[in-house]
Amino acid sequence: MSAKKLNNYKNESSGPVGKLVAISYSRVSTGKQAELDRSGEERQELEIARWLRDHPDYELDRAVRDVVSGAKAGRFEWFINELEQGRLPPGTCLVVEKMSRLGREGMTDTIRTLLRIFDAGGSIACCKVFNGRVLNNLDTRDQQSIFGFATAIDAARVEWEDKSDRAKGAHAQKRRLIKSGQHPFQERTKKKPLTNYPFWLTFDKKTCCFKENNHSIWVKQVFEWAKEVGSTTICKKLKEQGIRRSVDGRSFYTAPSIVNLLRNEAVIGNRQLYDGKKPIDEVIIGVYPPIVSLEDFKEVRNAVKQRHCGNAAVASPRMHLLFENRAFCIHCGSRLGLYTSKKNCADGTIKHYSYLRCMTAHYDKEACLAPRRPYQEERILERFQSFRWDSYFNSDKNIAKLKDASILLLMKEDTRNNVKRELANVNNALREQAREGSLIQQSLEDVLQQLNKEYDEADVAVNIASINLDKLKRQKTGTDAAKVIRKRVDTFLNSERNDINGRQEFNRWLFAERLVVAYDLIEDRFELGVGTVNSKGRNRQGRLIELDQTMEDAAVLGLDPASFAQDTHQ
């Protein structure tokens, strides 16, 4: 919604320059209408201009333009609030082109809104109802106004329902055509640059085929980046390359738009329509030419899931504590929080102090005796750089992970094979009944439907297990892994430490790598390792229940990390 700056009319009974106040209101249903089709908005503005000419006792205060569905409730709360707060004088008139611009809600809801406007001291005028007559009540003595408005409200609602039904019917017909293998799509033109197929594809109506355009190049690159980094970093990379949003060609991509892109099955050729976040109908397979392999798509989805781990989203948007939800008390396993205080100095300056504190000790001093300690971020980051990553990634623990992943894949494949065998048996039974001419039992059809669903789930589980195994096989080991991680910390220290997005991205990286800081606040020392966090129960941020720092322990004892790792696995 857009408008001029509000005037303050409080305690002014006559309005500006002795004239009555009018506010024009125009509405279009969608952002696409507002950008591509201005005829409806221009028609509304023309009608309101005529109304102002015919009502010289009113002066236009502002023009409000709204992009929202007419069936949405609560669109005039701003008008009612300004009247009630005295920011608009009594008698201020809200002028609309026709009743459908005022609303397409049901009769009761629309009348309730009108009565609220009247009770607040406002009035309304519809240019095409009663020749734009100004109404400030529904006087029972004026039956013409009551019946006339009721008719207009009902007509607006019927018009909206008819349009909605036609649109739904057209969409249903289009889905049926697409399911049958047809391509009822339109080419992009200057007048209609937006279409209901992916922006990285171009449709040729002559051949009824899609082909990739220039956008597909960077979309593919985004999926490659997403295997290693999050949406915020991807946005930075796109901005550095000068890649802007395909919709307007002006603004840059934001993290939410990249998140949506990474879960868009159109990159693997599938079509799924949504009503907001709710899927419409089932996924239609193979509508578009895929630009990302199924394996890469699933790997990216798994990488996104690992980066967030269910808790990353609760991190503070300011990220004062870089290790938020990744730092824990070594005594009780509780999460560490950041406490800040300030001190007024004699010279007039203000000094700020930050402390780490155990949240359990903060709320119950008898449950944990850990005191608070000054928050020394650089000290912890230096430990990240000195951590023995090369020894850790060379240990037999990773061999055990590969072994476990291989066993899991075999188990998932065995489950899928069992379901496949049962499917074959049921299909054979159905064929036998068909040959004998006997009536097919409904129970067999129900079993077949259930087995098909189980097979699809088992097949997805096999694919995920296969992706995880391949990821472990491709994972850097030893010196290479140490270089990558230390480079990540160096990059953060040199360029991202004072940037909020950079701090959030670093925190998400900690989640993805399962890295935690276990702090002994009593002795003022801390350990770094791969941690297991229990996020169940009332404590959403979790509690540290296990810290794997085998390689660090070995180094402290002066043992060879590789030999020590072998001993611990025997």
Side-chain angles (χ1 to χ4, degrees):
M1 183 183 294
S2 61
K4 295 183 198 174
K5 184 178 180 180
L6 300 178
N7 296 320
N8 189 351
Y9 293 110
K10 195 168 186 178
N11 298 325
E12 295 183 13
S13 59
S14 59
V17 202
K19 287 192 174 185
L20 295 171
V21 176
I23 296 177
S24 70
Y25 177 83
S26 60
R27 179 185 62 78
V28 290
S29 295
T30 65
K32 186 183 294 186
Q33 288 178 333
E35 293 177 8
L36 303 180
D37 184 8
R38 288 186 53 83
S39 61
E41 185 182 354
E42 290 172 353
R43 183 191 67 247
Q44 294 178 62
E45 292 173 351
L46 181 60
E47 289 291 339
I48 292 171
R50 289 172 180 167
W51 185 91
L52 290 169
R53 182 193 63 197
D54 296 337
H55 295 77
D57 50 334
Y58 281 87
E59 180 171 281
L60 184 66
D61 173 67
R62 80 191 94 143
V64 176
R65 175 175 174 270
D66 210 354
V67 180
V68 67
S69 169
K72 184 178 180 180
R75 288 174 294 109
F76 298 106
E77 290 297 322
W78 59 273
F79 184 56
I80 297 171
N81 290 338
E82 288 183 37
L83 287 166
E84 292 176 342
Q85 295 168 9
R87 295 162 65 189
L88 288 173
T92 298
C93 184
L94 185 70
V95 186
V96 297
E97 178 208 9
K98 56 183 180 179
M99 183 57 68
S100 63
R101 299 301 96 186
L102 188 64
R104 286 171 169 169
E105 300 175 77
M107 182 75 68
T108 302
D109 292 331
T110 302
I111 291 178
R112 185 180 292 117
T113 300
L114 293 175
L115 291 175
R116 288 186 62 201
I117 291 175
F118 298 154
D119 290 342
S123 59
I124 63 168
C126 294
C127 299
K128 293 188 176 181
V129 178
F130 301 141
N131 295 318
R133 175 183 171 185
V134 177
L135 292 178
N136 56 17
N137 64 73
L138 292 179
D139 195 336
T140 55
R141 293 170 297 178
D142 188 354
Q143 294 185 359
Q144 183 183 10
S145 67
I146 296 175
F147 294 141
F149 254 80
T151 302
I153 292 170
D154 186 60
R157 181 67 181 184
V158 170
E159 178 188 3
W160 175 77
E161 289 176 346
D162 287 344
K163 287 183 177 180
S164 179
D165 289 342
R166 289 197 298 271
K168 290 178 180 178
H171 288 314
Q173 173 66 11
K174 191 168 188 176
R175 287 198 296 272
R176 286 194 292 270
L177 292 174
I178 294 173
K179 286 180 182 179
S180 66
Q182 300 183 53
H183 288 78
F185 301 102
Q186 299 294 326
E187 293 180 343
R188 290 191 181 93
T189 62
K190 290 184 178 180
K191 292 185 178 179
K192 293 185 177 181
L194 300 177
T195 57
N196 59 349
Y197 53 84
F199 63 85
W200 58 84
L201 296 176
T202 300
F203 183 71
D204 187 342
K205 198 168 184 179
K206 294 181 180 179
T207 61
C208 287
C209 294
F210 289 101
K211 61 179 180 180
E212 298 179 23
N213 56 36
N214 293 334
H215 293 297
S216 66
I217 299 174
W218 66 260
V219 172
K220 294 176 183 178
Q221 183 63 65
V222 164
F223 274 83
E224 287 298 319
W225 288 333
K227 296 176 182 178
E228 304 294 337
V229 299
S231 56
T232 302
T233 301
I234 291 174
C235 287
K236 288 182 180 180
K237 291 177 177 288
L238 292 176
K239 189 174 183 179
E240 290 171 357
Q241 296 183 8
I243 296 174
R244 301 175 186 269
R245 291 173 61 87
S246 60
V247 176
D248 53 25
R250 297 188 299 272
S251 59
F252 289 101
Y253 280 91
T254 59
S257 61
I258 296 300
V259 170
N260 289 332
L261 175 61
L262 293 177
R263 61 188 178 201
N264 189 349
E265 292 191 27
V267 296
I268 57 175
N270 300 342
R271 178 180 174 89
Q272 173 70 77
L273 298 179
Y274 289 88
D275 180 8
K277 293 184 178 180
K278 183 180 179 181
I280 301 175
D281 207 359
E282 72 274 11
V283 177
I284 307 176
I285 308 296
V287 176
Y288 312 116
I291 64 171
V292 174
S293 69
L294 179 60
E295 290 74 16
D296 285 343
F297 181 78
K298 290 180 177 179
E299 182 177 353
V300 167
R301 296 307 310 149
N302 188 58
V304 171
K305 182 179 179 180
Q306 290 297 321
R307 274 195 291 271
H308 287 273
C309 297
N311 289 323
V314 301
S316 165
R318 293 175 294 177
M319 284 303 298
H320 292 316
L321 176 57
L322 179 64
F323 308 96
E324 189 166 346
N325 298 327
R326 293 283 90 188
F328 300 89
C329 174
I330 204 169
H331 297 286
C332 67
S334 179
R335 179 177 61 91
L336 297 185
L338 191 67
Y339 166 76
T340 58
S341 64
K342 61 182 180 180
K343 179 180 180 182
N344 297 320
C345 302
D347 58 1
T349 60
I350 300 177
K351 287 188 176 182
H352 295 269
Y353 300 90
S354 298
Y355 300 90
L356 285 175
R357 63 183 178 187
C358 171
M359 300 310 295
T360 294
H362 173 65
Y363 292 109
D364 186 357
K365 293 183 179 180
E366 294 183 358
C368 183
L369 301 177
R372 68 183 187 184
R373 288 285 180 180
Y375 174 48
Q376 299 172 309
E377 188 171 284
E378 289 186 3
R379 179 185 171 199
I380 301 175
L381 288 171
E382 287 175 359
R383 183 62 178 276
F384 267 83
Q385 291 176 306
S386 64
F387 188 82
R388 298 178 178 273
W389 300 108
D390 46 358
S391 301
Y392 174 78
F393 283 107
N394 273 333
S395 71
D396 281 0
K397 178 175 56 180
N398 292 290
I399 298 176
K401 287 183 178 179
L402 280 171
K403 183 178 179 181
D404 292 341
S406 299
I407 293 173
L408 179 62
L409 176 59
L410 291 174
M411 291 172 59
K412 298 299 182 183
E413 288 178 339
D414 184 60
T415 300
R416 184 179 64 178
N417 291 337
N418 289 335
V419 177
K420 188 176 181 179
R421 185 178 62 254
E422 293 181 30
L423 266 174
N425 293 336
V426 173
N427 280 319
N428 289 335
L430 288 172
R431 280 194 291 269
E432 287 295 328
Q433 289 185 5
R435 288 195 196 99
E436 296 172 1
S438 57
L439 185 65
I440 295 177
Q441 298 178 12
Q442 181 63 39
S443 59
L444 279 179
E445 291 185 341
D446 293 340
V447 171
L448 181 64
Q449 184 178 1
Q450 179 62 30
L451 286 175
N452 279 320
K453 181 179 178 181
E454 291 178 6
Y455 180 84
D456 290 339
E457 294 173 351
D459 190 55
V460 170
V462 168
N463 290 331
I464 293 175
S466 178
I467 289 171
N468 290 336
L469 179 59
D470 290 339
K471 186 176 181 180
L472 285 172
K473 290 179 178 178
R474 293 195 304 269
Q475 193 176 52
K476 295 181 183 297
T477 58
T479 305
D480 290 338
K483 288 180 179 178
V484 170
I485 294 175
R486 286 171 184 144
K487 182 180 179 180
R488 178 70 183 87
V489 178
D490 285 337
T491 300
F492 173 77
L493 285 171
N494 295 328
S495 61
E496 298 178 355
R497 188 177 175 189
N498 296 321
D499 177 67
I500 293 177
N501 291 330
R503 295 177 71 83
Q504 291 175 334
E505 190 65 42
F506 189 87
N507 184 264
R508 284 192 285 267
W509 173 72
L510 295 176
F511 270 91
E513 299 295 335
R514 298 177 53 237
L515 296 174
V516 298
V517 178
Y519 213 119
D520 185 343
L521 295 172
I522 296 177
E523 299 292 335
D524 192 20
R525 61 182 179 85
F526 57 87
E527 300 297 341
L528 177 67
V530 175
T532 301
V533 179
N534 179 12
S535 58
K536 298 180 179 180
R538 292 188 301 174
N539 188 350
R540 284 190 59 209
Q541 285 74 28
R543 183 179 294 271
L544 183 65
I545 58 176
E546 183 182 0
L547 178 66
D548 183 355
Q549 49 178 151
T550 306
M551 296 302 104
E552 286 289 273
D553 292 340
V556 171
L557 295 173
L559 302 176
D560 176 66
S563 301
F564 186 77
Q566 292 178 1
D567 294 338
T568 59
H569 285 92
Q570 289 179 357

